Amino acid sequence: MEFNLADLFEAAVDAFPDREYLVAEGRRLTYAQMEDRANRLAHHLAAHGVRKGEHSASTPSTATEWVTTAWAVFKLRAVWVNINYRYVHDELRYLFANADLVALVHQRQFSPRVAALLPELPVLRHVIVVDDDSQEPDPSPDAIGFEEALEGASPDRDFGRRSGDDIYILYTGGTTGMPKGVVWRHEDVFFALGGGIDAMTGRAWSVRNRWWRRVWRRADR
């Protein structure tokens, strides 16, 4: 079995599609509803040139769009990158360039910051804006609203095979300097953060990776 996060999520969707998956900010989504939204966003990103191994980021200040973006990027085997919404101009400029972002999902309130940085980011070619109460203008003429992006895309799950070696990048808080990107394999995330537990049986999966065997031995001492 490949311990890929998107594969594991899709297995959960198939097992209990009508179970509540996310409750946040007055919104409730079932597994099936989240799957539908993530598939649509994945197809939208693919249609705008996001490919396997390319980096896409989201600001984590709105739970539903943040989670949807993560699953969409994972489904494409692209690399998801988190962005701390408290970052100021210099930190954002450094992170955007350092992460080689090709796509960005952000709340409308951050449009002025994004607009100021876009001229310095030739690699960033697609921006999706999550509406809020800020009434800020789009950061660029070709930016698109989050819900509009979903409406025009396919809900089908027709993506290629994935790997436990797929990665995402977690940027640190930058309290002692500029943010630093930490690279995580999907399989390592499953064992380190998810406990490596089979949700259907409650039993731990066997750990095949030698490096994790060494880590677990040290932890048991």
Side-chain angles (χ1 to χ4, degrees), residues 11 88 90 181:
V88 296
D90 287 345

XYZ file of all heavy atoms in Angstrom, residues 11 88 90 181:
24
model
N -9.860 6.981 0.271
C -10.341 5.728 0.865
C -11.382 6.016 1.934
O -12.395 5.305 2.054
C -9.174 4.940 1.451
N 4.501 39.493 7.024
C 4.510 40.840 6.443
C 5.187 40.785 5.075
O 5.605 39.722 4.611
C 5.230 41.829 7.383
C 4.457 41.959 8.693
C 6.665 41.390 7.648
N 8.107 41.576 3.576
C 9.418 40.979 3.318
C 9.399 39.463 3.491
O 10.054 38.736 2.728
C 10.474 41.592 4.240
C 10.834 43.011 3.833
O 10.490 43.408 2.694
O 11.445 43.727 4.652
N 11.674 26.267 4.799
C 10.813 25.195 4.321
C 11.321 23.825 4.726
O 12.483 23.485 4.481
